[in-house]
Amino acid sequence: MPVSTVTAHRDGVGADPEDQRCPIMPTYNPPSIMFVRGDGSELWDRAGKRYIDWLAGIAVCSLGHSNPEVAAAIAEQASKLLHVSNVFATEHQAPISKMLSQMIGRPGQVFFSNSGAEANEAALKLARKWGGRGRHKVVCAYQSFHGRTLNTLAATGQPAKWEAFMPLPDGFKHAVWADIDDLERQLDDSVAAVLLEPVQGEGGVNPATTEYFAAVRRLCDERGLLFIADEVQAGLARTGKWFGFQHFFDEGAGPDVVTMAKALGNGMPIGACWATPEAAAAFKPGDHATTFGGQPMATSAARRTLELMLDMDAPAVASRAATRLIDAVVGIDGVSTTRGLGLLMAVELEPGIDAKEVATTCLRNGLVLNAVTATALRLTPPITISDALIDEGVEILARSIAEVRS
Ligand SMILES: *Cc1c(COP(=O)(O)O)cnc(C)c1O
């Protein structure tokens, strides 16, 4: 087949997913736009059209696209040392781990991965080592999202996503979200851990509560279970705290294990599974490994990202932007409510307004965001977004909702 017939995704024009010539597997709907450049909270497509980005690659580029300091760190590392394997130490891992423990507020240890799903896989394997033989199950919540590998899919509390891949790996139970009685009912002698998001992201932006997380902590303490917080989307300043769980715990308290990824490398693929020294001690050499996880290229980006976040007091930066954004968005005709924490936000539209249609219209009008449910939009802009780009985006959103309604 001549290469010239291969079109579709690669050309950014979208394609029939059945089209055998499309070079990309049809796991996503054919995209209609190809982005070629980003700067801060703005993107440009290949035709040169400018967009305001309120998605940030799904809560990834928190410090904006092409952050010059992160870019410089990556460029420097690229010509210095790319990869030597985890058989050897490399220079950025320990500083990152220390910064994460500083943000979490307790000492801990880190396993580096390449993604959120892999960070959760590490936590799930740690839970099995913690529990020991026969005590391996993990209780998760319905509407949760923990990744797309087979285990993290089984952890994900969305039965519709399981259907095509049955049978799923054994070892997961699901409880009604934010219902402590239902969670307690799942706890038997086969359970080693509880895995929850502080704010369910993909599930519709549903924050936990102080009462719920405190009760989960108490149950885990009583039964010797690990409390694992999936902070892949909420973590690293986006919610206005370093980690989402910190909205619900006093300083120095929290879960035993914290997984993260998305914002960690500001666009470089990197994840981490943080655990208290007591929990981490369940792993022995040989129990878990990764070729690429924590390699110098990815950690150079993560190290600079975290340094920048600490320097600017990123949670305060996110809170300030969130206040301005929420205040403006709730005033838009057609918006009924907002929910979430900080800049992990959903905008519920008035009944009858289709969120997907609004998202598509926004895109046409130069604002990138996505529909997190049939009736709600998700807003996860870079935390460094300027007031001007918040205001301009609000104007586009208002106009787009009006277009959809008329
Ligand atoms: C995105 C996400 C994941 C999966 O991360 P990947 O990097 O896509 O594997 C896991 N948990 C939560 C809460 C997420 O938002």
Side-chain angles (χ1 to χ4, degrees), residues 365-382:
N365 291 332
L367 175 65
V368 181
L369 42 70
N370 81 349
V372 72
T373 69
T375 57
L377 303 165
R378 172 172 39 187
L379 312 187
T380 57

Side-chain angles (χ1 to χ4, degrees), residues 115-117 120 145-147 197 202 230 232-233 262:
S115 66
N120 284 336
F145 183 81
H146 299 296
E197 295 158 90
E202 301 303 303
D230 180 343
V232 170
Q233 189 156 163
K262 289 190 166 86

Side-chain angles (χ1 to χ4, degrees), residues 165-389:
F165 301 98
M166 301 290 236
L168 289 173
D170 174 44
F172 299 93
K173 296 171 159 221
H174 293 85
V176 174
W177 170 242
D179 180 337
I180 194 66
D181 296 328
D182 196 47
L183 188 133
E184 187 168 9
R185 273 194 290 277
Q186 313 302 321
L187 303 180
D188 58 28
D189 289 344
S190 69
V191 172
V194 175
L195 167 62
L196 297 170
E197 295 158 90
V199 183
Q200 290 189 326
E202 301 303 303
V205 188
N206 314 308
T209 63
T210 301
E211 298 69 39
Y212 184 49
F213 265 34
V216 172
R217 179 70 273 178
R218 185 172 40 73
L219 287 174
C220 287
D221 285 342
E222 283 167 11
R223 295 160 188 257
L225 312 179
L226 287 185
F227 184 177
I228 306 168
D230 180 343
E231 295 268 5
V232 170
Q233 189 156 163
L236 298 163
R238 172 158 297 283
T239 68
K241 303 264 189 193
W242 285 116
F243 287 91
F245 75 80
Q246 289 166 332
H247 289 274
F248 314 124
F249 282 99
D250 293 334
E251 224 175 293
D256 306 292
V257 180
V258 179
T259 60
M260 66 198 82
K262 289 190 166 86
L264 183 54
N266 204 51
M268 278 293 265
I270 180 167
C273 173
W274 177 97
T276 62
E278 300 73 43
F283 270 156
K284 298 285 177 275
D287 279 338
H288 198 39
T290 168
T291 297
F292 285 126
Q295 58 92 278
M297 188 77 177
T299 49
S300 69
R303 181 180 186 175
R304 190 58 54 88
T305 298
L306 296 184
E307 287 168 352
L308 291 170
M309 283 185 168
L310 285 165
D311 281 351
M312 71 173 67
D313 189 5
V317 170
S319 290
R320 261 199 308 277
T323 301
R324 188 180 186 94
L325 186 56
I326 294 166
D327 285 354
V329 164
V330 292
I332 295 176
D333 239 23
V335 167
S336 81
T337 54
T338 65
R339 63 173 176 271
L341 288 174
L343 285 178
L344 177 46
M345 193 190 306
V347 175
E348 196 65 42
L349 301 169
E350 277 168 14
I353 308 178
D354 182 59
K356 264 214 176 87
E357 215 181 317
V358 171
T360 308
T361 307
C362 281
L363 209 49
R364 204 169 50 238
N365 291 332
L367 175 65
V368 181
L369 42 70
N370 81 349
V372 72
T373 69
T375 57
L377 303 165
R378 172 172 39 187
L379 312 187
T380 57
I383 64 170
T384 52
I385 190 169
S386 66
D387 290 353
L389 289 180

Side-chain angles (χ1 to χ4, degrees), residues 1-7 19-23:
M1 177 179 55
V3 170
S4 60
T5 65
V6 175
T7 56
D19 186 345
Q20 300 291 308
R21 292 167 306 169
C22 175

